[in-house]
Amino acid sequence: MINSAISFNPPRGMRDFYPEDMLLRNLIFDAWRTAAKNYGFSQYDACVVESLELLKRKAGEEITDQIYAFKDKSNRDLALRPEMTPTLARMIAAKQGSLTFPVKWFTIAQCFRYERTTRGRKREHYQLNLDIVGEPSILAEVEIIATAIKSMEAMGLEKSDIIIDFSSRALLSDILINLGIAEPEHAAAFVALDKRGKITDDAIRIILSEHGLTDDTTDKIFSALEIKSLSDVEKLVPKETESLKELLNFIDLLKAYDIDSCMNFNISVIRGLAYYTGIVFEAFDADRTLRAIFGGGRYDNLLSSIGGKPATAVGLGFGDVVIGELLNMKQNITIPKSQGGTAVGYMQQEQQNTAIQAANKLRADGVNTDLALTAEKAKKFFSRCNKAGFEEAVYIGPDDVDSNEIRIKNLSTREERIYSE
Ligand code: HAM
C-alpha cells in the first residue's frame, strides 16, 4: 500500500520534466547536438551507473565527496556518475588498440552530484560533453570551445552574452616549479587553490602545508595568482617557456576562429578537478551573475592513470541548468510555449471516421497531429486547442463528412484554408 504521506515532489535537488519543461530542455539539447555534429563530433553514450573505483580519486576534490554511491545485491561498489570523463576514459581504454585517433566524441549525459542545492546547482543535471582524445595540438582546445559557442548561438545567444576565462595549469606548474614546489605536489596544490574564495586563505594554507608547502611559499603562490595579464607572466617565467608559448599560440588561434572577443585570460582559473594538465577554461554569463556555464581543459594523464596507454585529451562539460537560467533571463530569446502541431476534433460520434481519415492523412504527410479521442462541442474543442498551444485545428461537423476536403484553421490568425499537402 502507498503511504498516504508520500511527497509528490521529486527528491531534493532532482527535477521532473513536465511536457512544458521539455520545450526548454529540447531547445538546449537540439542546439548541443546540432553544433557538435556541425563540428564533426560523433555521439556516444554509456550507462549512468559506474563502478565506484573508477570515479574515486584521492586528490581532495569536492566531486569525490559528492558521489551517490551504493552497493548492489552482490555487494559490488557502484555509483551514479557525477561526471562523464572517467567513463569516457574507460571506454577509450577498452578499445584503445582498435580506435582511430584522434577521436572526437560528444554525449549528453545525466550526472548526479550530492551538492548543496543553490541557484544553478542541482543534484542532477544533464551535461554536454565534448572531448578530443589523442590530439596534442592546441587546435583541439579551440575546436572544443568554438563548438560550445556555436551551440549557444544556435540557442539564440551571442558571443557578447558570455565571457570565457582561461588559463593554463602547465603555465601555473612552471610558475610553481620556479617557486621551488616539486611537481608531484602540483595536482593537490591546484585542487586546494581552486577552493580560493570558497574557503579562507588560512584553510588553504593548512591544506597546502600538508603537502609540504610553507606559509611563505603559499603567499608567493597567492601573489602569483594576482597577475592580471600575460605580459606580467613573463616576469615569473622565461619568455621561451613552452607553456607560455602554447598559451600565446592558443590566443592566436582564437583570433582565427573569431572567438577571441569573449575570451579572457585569468590566471586564477584553475578548476576543481585534479586531472587537468594544460589549458583550462570556464564560461560565465557576461554580467557574471550566474554560476559557471561550462568548463573544461586538457587532461593528458587520465587514461594512463586508470590503466590505459597514455593518451592526450581535451574536453569540456556544459550543463543544462545555468544555460537554462540564462536563456530565461534573455528578453530577446523566445522559448517555445508549446510543441505546436495540429489538432483534429469532431462534433458527434458519427464524424469519428472522417476525423480518423483526416488525422491519418495529415500524419502521413508528416504533420504532427493530435486526434480527439471523443466527440466534443466546438467551444470545448477550440478552448482545449488554445490551452494546449496547437498551431492549427480541424473541426469536423456533419457537413464535412461528405466533402472530400479538410478545412484547417490557423489558431492565431483565425484564417481558414483547404488543406492540401
Ligand atoms: P565540471 O566543471 O565539474 O566539469 O562541470 C561542467 C559543467 O557542468 C559546469 O560548468 C556546469 O555547467 C555543470 N554542472 C556541474 N555540476 C552541476 C550541478 N550540480 N548542477 C548543475 N550543473 C552542474 C566536469 O564535469 C568535467 N568532467 C568536464 C570535462 C569533460 N572535462 C573534460 N571533459
Side-chain angles (χ1 to χ4, degrees):
M1 207 176 79
I2 295 177
N3 179 351
S4 60
I6 203 160
S7 166
F8 291 150
N9 295 323
R12 192 174 169 76
M14 308 287 172
R15 294 169 297 168
D16 291 326
F17 290 87
Y18 284 86
E20 59 270 26
D21 305 318
M22 290 304 292
L23 300 167
L24 175 61
R25 181 168 129 180
N26 284 339
L27 183 151
I28 295 170
F29 283 24
D30 289 349
W32 279 346
R33 263 190 294 264
T34 308
K37 287 184 189 162
N38 190 233
Y39 274 68
F41 287 82
S42 305
Q43 192 162 10
Y44 72 102
D45 204 359
C47 184
V48 166
V49 174
E50 244 323 334
S51 69
L52 182 60
E53 201 191 353
L54 178 77
L55 302 172
K56 273 204 140 168
R57 295 183 290 262
K58 296 185 188 72
E61 296 159 286
E62 214 176 20
I63 199 168
T64 306
D65 298 329
Q66 296 170 336
I67 295 177
Y68 277 88
F70 58 97
K71 280 187 189 291
D72 72 4
K73 290 184 194 220
S74 303
N75 221 24
R76 290 185 195 91
D77 284 308
L78 299 174
L80 301 180
R81 62 174 175 231
E83 57 164 339
M84 195 62 169
T85 317
T87 301
L88 170 74
R90 176 179 65 65
M91 287 171 67
I92 301 260
K95 294 203 170 183
Q96 216 161 353
S98 58
L99 289 168
T100 309
F101 291 95
V103 301
K104 231 176 134 177
W105 285 2
F106 84 96
T107 190
I108 298 175
Q110 195 176 18
C111 300
F112 296 82
R113 299 183 189 183
Y114 192 79
E115 288 222 35
R116 207 164 60 83
T117 52
T118 52
R119 189 165 184 213
R121 288 291 174 267
K122 309 268 177 208
R123 291 188 174 160
E124 147 281 316
H125 69 283
Y126 286 91
Q127 215 186 68
L128 167 72
N129 275 244
L130 299 165
D131 290 272
I132 300 179
V133 181
E135 179 50 68
S137 161
I138 213 78
L139 188 54
E141 273 84 340
V142 185
E143 277 274 306
I144 295 255
I145 294 171
T147 310
I149 294 176
K150 174 93 179 195
S151 77
M152 295 174 85
E153 287 174 337
M155 295 171 202
L157 291 162
E158 288 168 23
K159 283 188 206 107
S160 55
D161 291 322
I162 54 161
I163 186 89
I164 305 172
D165 289 332
F166 67 93
S167 182
S168 160
R169 277 202 186 177
L171 176 70
L172 210 51
S173 242
D174 286 332
I175 295 173
L176 294 185
I177 286 168
N178 279 0
L179 292 173
I181 302 155
E183 205 151 1
E185 304 301 340
H186 291 186
F190 291 147
V191 170
L193 292 170
D194 183 68
K195 298 197 168 106
R196 246 186 137 198
K198 295 174 205 147
I199 59 174
T200 63
D201 280 0
D202 281 345
I204 293 175
R205 273 192 188 87
I206 293 169
I207 302 173
L208 290 179
S209 71
E210 286 161 10
H211 292 274
L213 272 67
T214 62
D215 277 0
D216 184 41
T217 322
T218 303
D219 284 339
K220 283 186 187 144
I221 302 175
F222 284 166
S223 65
L225 291 178
E226 298 303 319
I227 284 175
K228 290 280 173 279
S229 72
L230 269 169
S231 47
D232 287 341
V233 171
E234 287 173 16
K235 293 177 196 151
L236 287 175
V237 289
K239 236 185 178 145
E240 53 286 351
T241 306
E242 211 41 58
S243 57
L244 180 56
K245 284 191 343 209
E246 185 183 73
L247 204 56
L248 295 171
N249 182 15
F250 173 68
I251 293 167
D252 281 343
L253 288 168
L254 294 173
K255 288 182 189 147
Y257 275 67
D258 194 24
I259 53 174
D260 55 311
S261 62
C262 56
M263 303 290 300
N264 171 51
F265 172 69
N266 179 349
I267 196 160
S268 65
V269 172
I270 296 171
R271 310 245 324 119
L273 300 166
Y275 48 65
Y276 292 115
T277 51
I279 285 180
V280 281
F281 48 85
E282 217 151 37
F284 295 90
D285 61 295
D287 297 333
R288 295 187 188 270
T289 52
L290 305 172
R291 300 286 296 260
I293 299 172
F294 65 73
R298 183 166 284 274
Y299 52 103
D300 282 348
N301 302 330
L302 186 59
L303 260 112
S304 51
S305 78
I306 65 159
K309 293 191 212 96
T312 145
V314 53
L316 66 75
F318 183 163
D320 66 326
V321 179
V322 181
I323 194 68
E325 287 172 359
L326 184 59
L327 292 171
N328 273 319
M329 278 162 62
K330 291 278 166 195
Q331 311 273 318
N332 58 328
I333 292 177
T334 317
I335 298 161
K337 294 209 162 38
S338 75
Q339 64 174 26
T342 299
V344 176
Y346 44 98
M347 196 181 286
Q348 297 149 335
Q349 181 63 24
E350 290 72 46
Q351 293 104 46
Q352 192 179 63
N353 271 345
T354 311
I356 291 172
Q357 280 159 26
N360 282 349
K361 164 107 185 91
L362 290 163
R363 286 168 177 165
D365 291 348
V367 179
N368 296 337
T369 305
D370 176 72
L371 172 68
L373 301 174
T374 56
E376 62 200 317
K377 291 209 168 84
K379 198 172 163 206
K380 190 170 167 213
F381 170 71
F382 283 107
S383 121
R384 190 167 63 75
C385 288
N386 286 328
K387 256 197 196 149
F390 289 108
E391 284 157 0
E392 297 191 308
V394 178
Y395 185 69
I396 296 170
D399 298 345
D400 298 301
V401 173
D402 295 327
S403 84
N404 253 343
E405 293 173 337
I406 301 175
R407 277 187 302 117
I408 198 159
K409 187 172 189 171
N410 182 309
L411 292 170
S412 23
T413 62
R414 307 254 136 215
E415 273 163 25
E416 233 178 42
R417 67 190 164 90
I418 303 297
Y419 175 76
S420 63
E421 48 174 319

